[in-house]
Each structure stands twice: as structure tokens, then as C-alpha cells.
Amino acid sequence: MTQAVLDKESFCAQVIGCQETMFRTARAILRNDQDAEDAVQEAICAAFARRDSLRDAEKFKPWMLRILANKCYDACRRRRNTSDLDAAGEVPAPETDQAERLSLWQAVLSLNDDLRAPVTLFYYDGLSIREISRVLGISEAAVKTRLSRGRARLRQLLDEK
């Protein structure tokens, strides 16, 4: 395993190759397109600045997704420390059509934060349990448990509608 710093062109090619996965992952964690786009941009900048820490170019995608997950969790922590006073008094409107069935992606987005990211990374992005463990910074057993709980919750959500 030789540690060779990716040049600008190689780095950009790698980023382009995993940009959809990055956005989908950020969207799954943050639940907001604008925040997801910001997190992806921050992750790309941070990764470029630290590209010399990548030991194996073959592991670019999990390395990049780990940086992205950290940026997303940073955004979640920042968001938790603030509150929107305009939205504080609002009550969500009832669903207009109870019979409308959730799409699978809508169901995935409605999962709790701890279940949504592993489900997205596993089923939409094709990462292995080991890679998800590294990206999210949790044990492989925790990934398996969260995938199992996520599948059960998705079944429940889709059966309800």
C-alpha cells in the first residue's frame, strides 16, 4: 500500500464518480437539500486539503463518505444549538390524502436519524457493512442492528399507508 497524494485531476475524477452517493448520504442525514449541498461542498474542500492522509486510493469513496458524515454531524450539532422562532408556534398541517402511499424513498427519509444513514448507504449506495461502520464511526454489529431495525420500520411504514 503506497501512499501517493492524489493530484487535482485524479481527486476531481474521484469526487465526480461518487457525487450522487455523497449527496444522497448527506440528504439522508440532514433531511434538507440545501444543508446536504453545503455539507458535500465542505467535505470536498476538507478532503482536498487532507488528500495526503488517504493511504490507499482504492479506498477513496469510504474515506470521502467518512469526511462527509462528520461534516453532516457537525451541521446537526450546529442546528441543535439554534432554534427558529418563526416556526416555534407552527403546527404541521394534517396530511391531505391519507390514502396516498409513501414511496420507498419517502419512507427511508422518514426513518429516525440513526436508521436512515445505514439504510441509505447499504441499499442505495452499495457500501458493505464494514465500509458503513467506518463511514459512520460505529461497530459492524451496530450497523447490522440498525439495518435490521430500518427494514422492519420500512415494512411497517409501507404497510400503514
Side-chain angles (χ1 to χ4, degrees), residues 28-29 31 73 76 80 111-118 146:
I29 295 171
R31 294 185 176 202
Y73 294 137
C76 288
R80 233 180 268 146
L111 291 173
N112 292 336
D113 296 342
D114 64 325
L115 302 178
R116 190 174 53 252
R146 290 178 187 189

Side-chain angles (χ1 to χ4, degrees):
M1 214 181 339
T2 61
Q3 184 171 352
V5 178
L6 289 173
D7 61 17
K8 183 179 175 182
E9 290 77 25
S10 299
F11 180 85
C12 290
Q14 292 275 11
V15 167
I16 290 169
C18 66
Q19 67 185 1
E20 287 182 35
T21 299
M22 291 172 61
F23 179 76
R24 196 171 27 243
T25 301
R27 176 68 171 87
I29 295 171
L30 297 171
R31 294 185 176 202
N32 177 303
D33 287 350
Q34 291 81 19
D35 290 344
E37 289 170 356
D38 290 345
V40 168
Q41 287 179 354
E42 287 179 28
I44 291 170
C45 291
F48 186 77
R50 293 183 292 181
R51 68 189 186 279
D52 60 335
S53 70
L54 178 62
R55 289 183 233 127
D56 183 1
E58 300 286 321
K59 305 281 186 187
F60 180 85
K61 188 174 180 179
W63 175 78
M64 186 69 197
L65 290 175
R66 178 69 183 156
I67 293 170
L68 175 63
N70 287 334
K71 293 296 180 187
C72 291
Y73 294 137
D74 288 346
C76 288
R77 282 188 288 277
R78 283 191 305 269
R79 194 182 316 158
R80 233 180 268 146
N81 293 334
T82 62
S83 62
D84 185 0
L85 297 178
D86 293 334
E90 293 179 10
V91 176
E95 291 185 30
T96 55
D97 185 10
Q98 294 291 339
E100 187 175 319
R101 189 174 170 88
L102 281 176
S103 74
L104 183 56
W105 180 241
Q106 289 169 322
V108 168
L109 290 177
S110 72
L111 291 173
N112 292 336
D113 296 342
D114 64 325
L115 302 178
R116 190 174 53 252
V119 167
T120 302
L121 290 169
F122 188 79
Y123 290 106
Y124 286 89
D125 300 322
L127 269 64
S128 70
I129 290 172
R130 177 172 286 156
E131 290 171 325
I132 295 169
S133 169
R134 288 186 199 136
V135 167
L136 298 178
I138 58 177
S139 70
E140 290 181 30
V143 172
K144 291 176 185 177
T145 299
R146 290 178 187 189
L147 285 172
S148 176
R149 289 179 183 162
R151 283 189 294 267
R153 182 68 182 133
L154 285 172
R155 267 189 235 98
Q156 183 183 18
L157 287 169
L158 293 173
D159 286 345
E160 285 176 2
K161 301 295 174 179

